[in-house]
Every structure is written in structure tokens, then in C-alpha cells.
Amino acid sequence: MKLKLKDKHFQSIFFGIFILYLLILIKIILLKDTSLADLPKHLVPGYEGFRSLNLTPFQTFRNFISIGKNGAFLWGISNIAGNALVFLPFGYLLSLRFSKKQAGFKIMISAFLLSLTFECLQFIFYLGSADIDDVILNTFGAFLGIVCFRILSIIVRHQTHTLYKMSLILGMTAFLGASLVGYFEFGNRLGISYKEEVQGGEKIPKSPEDFSGYFLSGNDTHLTVTNSIDPSFHETQKIQIKEDTTIYHVTYKSNPLTPYKTQTIYKLYTPSQMKSIKKNTQISIWFQKTQKQTADVIVLGDPVTSGETGDQKMSFSNDNTQLTGYITSVKPDAQRFTLNKIDSYDTQDGASVSTSTKIYLPVSYQKNVEIKIRDVYGNGSSYKDRDGTIKDLKTDSFVSMKGRLKDQTFYADYIMISVFQDL
């Protein structure tokens, strides 16, 4: 006996689909970077989160035109299209529920009000960019959903049962496609957690490493390391190796089909193999408790350069007149802040690399120091600069500076603050 779905069954199915769609919409718009339980924390006085407000219609389009000139045209188009298409199911599903022609205007008004509510909540709770253009694009997306419904209705000659079946098939296809895109492009923001499979490394302490930097030279009794490969700021030191020192080399493996699962493999090395380690290999060291500067556990990574043999020459964007890193603390009254330095350099093959260090430098500036804010879009593929003030210097801000280093203090003449936007 075949199960035949009646129209009322389809209506119940599509009502459930609509509720599920609204929940997904809330997740990707409001809760992409936080959870529902954490929202009250966003209203606590002194909470510092990211939010911006644009009340100028079509400003986003002008920004994307400007960004497109910097080589990110397709990225701009995809963001505009994404803001519209995310509301297409809203228009289609409600048209399916209220098929009368006069319902179209009411559906668009509903889409407008829902989108406006989302934007207001984003601004109130520091959840991202509140933009009138998002409301315009979302409403237009709902309009496209209404148009798609009416086109399909004409194709099936307004046969309700056939329309329901075609809508279900197309909806499932679209959902699977959107799920694949979401998994590979935005999975970490939609709550898909990274899974790590670890092999070896049993003797690595759970405590933070005592030293993190780069290998310069060594043998089976000692090695020379540096905390930075930037010659303007680095400090070298010698570390002893004992017979009971445990040495690992770590490698990472991943599969393009499972981007949120990685395999970490620790391979044991002997002290005699230290002679073959390449210069500028990343290294982490835990010291013996009874003997400082004597290694208990060593973890070797990969060299920060490429090539099979020989040392690679690096072209540093940093010198003692430039500095890049994250602000760890701010003292506005003293016109100073502390910076955790980032090494940025170009390898011989043209790749750009940035690595964190454990170098913390005090930075001093004048009240009239020139400050710019760089809004970065599309994972760094494009940007737009604007004027900033001293008030924009906050903890965890990523800054690039020009100035001079004197007596282990950097005196900044120019500060660029990078803000990574999510439009």
C-alpha cells in the first residue's frame, strides 16, 4: 500500500520547514559568533564588542564598488547576493502558505520588519554590522522568493499538489547545496567544532612551554635558539640537551573533504638528529624543573622557509622603524601600550608569512599621533582606510606602526589599526 501525501500533509511539512528555516536564519545572522546564553553578557556596562551602523541607503554598494577596484569584485558580488538569497526561502515558503496574489505585499512587509529586527538586535547586542542595505537586500530576496513561487506555479499550471511536490524536491536540493557551502566555507561559525586526532607526544607537559621561537643551530649536547627571526628585535640563547631529553617532530595532516578534522602526529627524534635540523625551524621547549636552560621536552615544527637545501634569505617588512602586533594592555593616561610582536616576512617563493612571538614591547606615542583604521574585507583580499583616534587603541587590537626603537621602547609616529569586518 503506497502512502499518498495529501495537501494538508504538505502544508504541515512546509510549516515545519519554515520554522526550521527561521531558526537557521537566527543562527547565521544573530548567533554566528556567540550563543543565546551569552547574549546577556553583551549588555553588561563596559562590554567591548564589535558593532557598526550604516543608515545611508546603498552605501554598501558604493563600498563594494570601491573594494572591487582593489581586486575583490567577485567577493563583493557574493556578499551582496548572499544577503539577498538568504531571504529567498522566506518569500517562497510564505507564498506557498498564503498563495493569494494580494499576500505578496504582506510577505514583503513581513520580510522588511524581520530584517529590521535582526539589524536592531545586532546593534544592541554588539553582534556585528547593522546596515540599512542589509534590510534592502533581505527584502529584495523575499521578493525574489515570491517571483520564483509564481513562476513555478505557472509551470505546473497552478496544480496545487504538483506544486507542493516540486517545491519539496527543489527545497531539498537547495538545502543540500546550501549545507555543503555552509560546511566548507562557514562551518566553524555555524557551530561545527574542530576535531583533532593526536598520535604520540605523550611526554609533552600540559603546562605552557617555557620557550617558543626558532632553531638556529645545534648538536646532540646543546642548541642555539632565537625568539624572533626578525634581526632587528631577536634575542638568542643556548639550551642544553641531556640524554633523557625527549625530542618530538610534529606534523599536521588534513583532508579537503573533512576540513574540520586534523591529525597531529608526533615523531620521536634522537639528540644526534639535531645536527640535521634546518635553520629557522619552529621550536617549543619545556625546561627541566631542577636545571634551567636544560631541555626536558623539545617539539620541533617545520621551517618557516621553503626549499630542500640551504638557508633561505628572507625579505622582512619589519625593521627597527616598523612594528606589527597585538595590543595586550593600554595606559591612555601615560600615552603608552604594550604590544605582543608579530613577525611578518616574505619567503623567497613570494609567500607572505606572519607568526606570533613572545616579545612584548612598550610603545609610546604623542597625543597628536596619526592614527588610521583599516577596515579589512574578505579575509584580507580588500580594504578601506579611514581616520581613527587614540580612543580606538584597545586591548587585542591588531596594529602596524612606523616610528623608532630606542632603549627597548618603540616610539610610534604612525599607527594603523586593522579591523576585520564581517559584512
Side-chain angles (χ1 to χ4, degrees):
M1 181 178 178
K2 293 184 178 180
L3 178 63
K4 185 176 181 180
L5 292 175
K6 297 181 179 179
D7 289 352
K8 64 178 182 180
H9 295 144
F10 277 114
Q11 290 175 2
S12 299
I13 291 172
F14 284 116
F15 177 76
I17 291 174
F18 182 71
I19 297 301
L20 177 62
Y21 162 74
L22 289 179
L23 293 175
I24 294 174
L25 207 58
I26 291 171
K27 174 61 180 176
I28 64 178
I29 294 178
L30 297 179
L31 304 177
K32 56 181 178 292
D33 293 317
T34 189
S35 65
L36 190 61
D38 288 335
L39 282 184
K41 299 178 183 178
H42 293 214
L43 295 178
V44 175
Y47 176 82
E48 293 186 0
F50 168 72
R51 71 178 180 184
S52 64
L53 178 65
N54 171 45
L55 298 177
T56 305
F58 307 110
Q59 180 62 46
T60 299
F61 297 89
R62 288 189 286 270
N63 288 342
F64 281 140
I65 291 173
S66 177
I67 292 170
K69 294 178 181 178
N70 292 327
F73 177 76
L74 291 179
W75 180 85
I77 292 297
S78 67
N79 273 267
I80 291 175
N83 275 322
L85 294 178
V86 75
F87 261 70
L88 188 149
F90 185 91
Y92 188 93
L93 290 171
L94 284 186
S95 295
L96 200 61
R97 178 66 180 85
F98 307 103
S99 57
K100 295 180 180 179
K101 291 185 178 180
Q102 59 267 32
F105 179 74
K106 294 181 179 179
I107 292 172
M108 291 186 62
I109 292 297
S110 299
F112 172 83
L113 294 175
L114 179 62
S115 178
L116 184 62
T117 301
F118 282 156
E119 298 305 307
C120 290
L121 291 174
Q122 285 189 85
F123 185 79
I124 293 171
F125 287 97
Y126 291 88
L127 297 175
S129 303
D131 197 327
I132 188 63
D133 287 336
D134 287 351
V135 178
I136 295 172
L137 287 168
N138 293 161
T139 306
F140 178 69
F143 169 74
L144 291 178
I146 297 171
V147 171
C148 290
F149 169 80
R150 293 186 177 177
I151 290 175
L152 187 60
S153 297
I154 294 173
I155 292 175
V156 301
R157 298 179 181 179
H158 300 282
Q159 296 181 20
T160 304
H161 195 74
T162 304
L163 179 62
Y164 282 149
K165 290 194 291 185
M166 289 293 295
S167 296
L168 190 60
I169 294 171
L170 291 174
M172 291 177 64
T173 303
F175 178 76
L176 290 174
S179 298
L180 288 174
V181 173
Y183 175 77
F184 286 103
E185 296 296 331
F186 311 105
N188 61 323
R189 305 191 71 179
L190 297 177
I192 300 176
S193 59
Y194 286 91
K195 295 182 180 179
E196 182 181 15
E197 180 183 335
V198 180
Q199 296 181 13
E202 293 84 1
K203 293 187 177 182
I204 297 176
K206 294 183 179 180
S207 59
E209 66 272 20
D210 297 305
F211 175 87
S212 179
Y214 305 91
F215 173 90
L216 293 180
S217 62
N219 53 38
D220 57 352
T221 61
H222 72 275
L223 52 88
T224 303
V225 294
T226 179
N227 58 352
S228 172
I229 49 178
D230 184 342
S232 301
F233 296 91
H234 75 156
E235 296 177 356
T236 62
Q237 55 181 298
K238 288 189 176 181
I239 309 295
Q240 286 187 319
I241 299 176
K242 298 292 187 179
E243 291 183 358
D244 59 345
T245 298
T246 303
I247 305 173
Y248 292 106
H249 178 262
V250 60
T251 56
Y252 304 94
K253 293 183 179 180
S254 61
N255 189 326
L257 296 178
T258 55
Y260 302 103
K261 182 179 180 180
T262 60
Q263 189 177 34
T264 303
I265 303 172
Y266 292 96
K267 181 180 178 181
L268 279 170
Y269 270 33
T270 62
S272 61
Q273 290 179 281
M274 298 303 290
K275 295 180 181 179
S276 63
I277 302 301
K278 292 182 179 180
K279 184 178 179 181
N280 294 328
T281 290
Q282 295 173 327
I283 186 170
S284 298
I285 303 173
W286 288 261
F287 295 138
Q288 294 185 1
K289 294 181 179 180
T290 56
Q291 299 182 57
K292 291 186 176 181
Q293 300 303 107
T294 299
D296 181 35
V297 176
I298 298 174
V299 176
L300 299 165
D302 293 324
V304 297
T305 58
S306 59
E308 295 182 359
T309 59
D311 293 336
Q312 296 291 314
K313 294 182 179 180
M314 299 179 198
S315 173
F316 275 89
S317 59
N318 302 54
D319 54 29
N320 58 9
T321 65
Q322 300 188 53
L323 189 62
T324 300
Y326 287 94
I327 296 177
T328 58
S329 63
V330 181
K331 296 180 179 179
D333 295 337
Q335 296 172 211
R336 294 170 71 92
F337 59 83
T338 302
L339 187 87
N340 179 201
K341 185 182 181 300
I342 298 293
D343 277 348
S344 299
Y345 51 88
D346 298 323
T347 59
Q348 204 172 48
D349 60 2
S352 296
V353 180
S354 295
T355 56
S356 61
T357 70
K358 288 193 174 182
I359 300 175
Y360 296 89
L361 289 171
V363 177
S364 180
Y365 57 88
Q366 299 295 321
K367 288 184 178 180
N368 60 347
V369 64
E370 183 181 1
I371 297 179
K372 291 286 185 181
I373 296 178
R374 173 163 292 179
D375 294 311
V376 183
Y377 304 90
N379 296 322
S381 61
S382 58
Y383 61 86
K384 189 177 182 66
D385 294 342
R386 53 188 169 94
D387 292 331
T389 67
I390 292 175
K391 293 181 180 180
D392 294 309
L393 295 171
K394 299 178 181 178
T395 302
D396 295 330
S397 295
F398 181 78
V399 298
S400 301
M401 299 174 292
K402 293 181 181 179
R404 63 194 186 282
L405 181 67
K406 182 180 180 181
D407 299 329
Q408 295 303 307
T409 297
F410 191 84
Y411 295 87
D413 299 320
Y414 172 84
I415 302 175
M416 171 74 75
I417 305 171
S418 296
V419 179
F420 298 91
Q421 302 282 12
D422 177 34
L423 293 180

